[in-house]
Amino acid sequence: MLSPMDPRWDSDALTVASDTARLRRYRRAQSRWRETVLGLPPGESAPARNVGSRLRTDAPDSAQWLTPHVAAYVADRLPQAERDGEAIERGRLFGNLLSSQPLCFNVFGQLAAYPNAAARLLTRLLDQHVDRVDDVLVEHTPPAAKATLGDRSAFDAYLALTIDGAPAFVGVETKYTEPFSATKYRRDSYDQVTERADGWFVKDAARAAVTSATNQLWRTLMLAQTTELQTDAGSGTVLVLCLDDDPHATQAVDGMHELLREPDRRLRRVTFERMVEAASEEEDLRAWAALFTARYLTL
């Protein structure tokens, strides 16, 4: 519980000196949510260094989750994901209010609870008729794709769908305030996947995609291509879910569009603002959309 000794959510004592002006605004939004909605004190990012957008280790496990549906999804999904070796970071998941990993659970955990409404929402966002949502897995790498790429690439969320009567899937890359990784990874397996004659990429795409602006999204697209070609998951699309004012996501998507044979089919950028606008049209998602807006979009 909050103590009179805790600094207010907007205190400079809870900021991070290296933050950009944009990041500082979003961090303060999470600090405000922590204090005024959750009623919890700030947590530590380092010994004796409290940050407004963090929770203490003794905070309730439910503190991160917008609804009981999301909390139930996390309780069910987390043991399975950890058993399968997925990229779950518990400290980040339960302690970092600013992280995109709990945000991803807050989106897709809710959609998993209302598959019919989720199908209608995805129909609007993807401009394809989604018959139904068959499965929702936050933090997932299809095993066949993992073996081919030989790395730790993963979808932030994986949606198994039926579109126009046929199997399909969407691999989601979720960004809140974090930029795409700037590290330039390249392996022989990446070149082999990218240069497949029946693949998603134009000729010599690997040479351009390896740059820091597009490297992470390139790996996500390779993961999706491999999932499509080596499993029975059906036709695939990568969806980048991000803030409207995210320059890094826009740059990455624009850069990879130039390297894809069917860019509009294979890669979509959807903003959180557009997502909650569409979700507000669904009775089962309306209250959740309002909570999401209050926490993540109201600065």
Side-chain angles (χ1 to χ4, degrees), residues 1-2 30 32-41 55 60 62-65 97 295:
M1 298 296 292
L2 283 166
Q30 294 307 306
R32 183 187 65 227
W33 179 268
R34 171 193 51 74
E35 181 176 314
T36 63
V37 177
L38 303 179
L40 294 173
L55 298 171
S62 61
Q64 278 277 32
W65 315 127
L97 292 162
R295 174 170 171 183

Side-chain angles (χ1 to χ4, degrees), residues 79-147:
Q80 178 189 26
E82 291 181 326
R83 188 167 56 247
D84 293 342
E86 307 289 9
I88 298 288
E89 302 171 38
R90 279 186 172 261
R92 180 183 174 204
L93 186 64
F94 289 103
N96 189 347
L97 292 162
L98 196 62
S99 169
S100 63
Q101 188 167 78
L103 181 153
C104 191
F105 275 97
N106 271 323
V107 173
F108 294 101
Q110 186 73 12
L111 297 188
Y114 293 100
N116 293 333
R120 292 190 294 270
L121 174 65
L122 290 167
T123 294
R124 296 187 187 99
L125 299 183
L126 298 174
D127 297 324
Q128 299 182 79
H129 181 74
V130 177
D131 302 335
R132 65 176 183 268
V133 176
D134 299 305
D135 202 4
V136 177
L137 298 174
V138 176
E139 289 294 343
H140 177 62
T141 306
K146 181 184 293 187

Side-chain angles (χ1 to χ4, degrees), residues 156-230:
D156 291 339
Y158 174 88
L159 311 178
L161 310 174
T162 299
I163 294 179
D164 293 330
F169 70 92
V170 172
V172 182
E173 185 74 51
T174 305
K175 293 295 180 186
Y176 186 44
T177 60
E178 308 99 322
F180 280 89
S181 171
T183 305
K184 298 180 183 179
Y185 294 102
R186 190 166 185 179
R187 296 168 178 247
D188 289 343
S189 61
Y190 296 177
D191 289 4
Q192 293 165 8
V193 168
T194 305
E195 297 304 324
R196 280 189 61 151
D198 57 349
W200 293 13
F201 301 91
V202 300
K203 184 175 176 56
D204 296 326
R207 189 158 41 198
V210 75
T211 62
S212 59
T214 54
N215 193 280
Q216 183 182 351
L217 186 54
W218 174 41
R219 285 178 277 131
T220 302
L221 285 157
M222 284 190 285
L223 183 63
Q225 174 192 295
T226 305
T227 300
E228 177 179 291
L229 296 179
Q230 295 185 197

